Amino acid sequence: MNITELGKILKEMYDKAPHGHQVANIHLFGVKYASVIQRNHLKPSDIVAASGLNPSYASEVSKGMKLSEYVVPKN
């Protein structure tokens, strides 16, 4: 996966989140895609820029990536 594809997924997860759960979905994105992001040496800030979301959300993606060491998404 590249930055453009990840940006599209992030934007979709944000847009489809129930009202009030957008930031939680950004964290979930970080959890789900942490290994892809790390393996490809990508920066959360570049992914957020590709998504068109507020640049401040890069820190939320990073938080999700850190959480990925401790949590597993429910299906």
Side-chain angles (χ1 to χ4, degrees), residues 17-37:
H19 181 70
H21 292 261
Q22 290 90 354
V23 174
N25 262 24
I26 293 172
H27 294 151
L28 179 60
F29 171 85
V31 170
K32 289 177 77 171
Y33 294 97
S35 62
V36 173
I37 294 167

Side-chain angles (χ1 to χ4, degrees), residues 18-62:
H19 181 70
H21 292 261
Q22 290 90 354
V23 174
N25 262 24
I26 293 172
H27 294 151
L28 179 60
F29 171 85
V31 170
K32 289 177 77 171
Y33 294 97
S35 62
V36 173
I37 294 167
Q38 292 166 342
R39 183 173 51 247
N40 292 299
H41 307 287
L42 303 175
K43 295 180 187 174
S45 58
D46 293 338
I47 296 166
V48 172
S51 75
L53 296 176
N54 188 314
S56 66
Y57 286 137
S59 66
E60 304 304 330
V61 172
S62 294

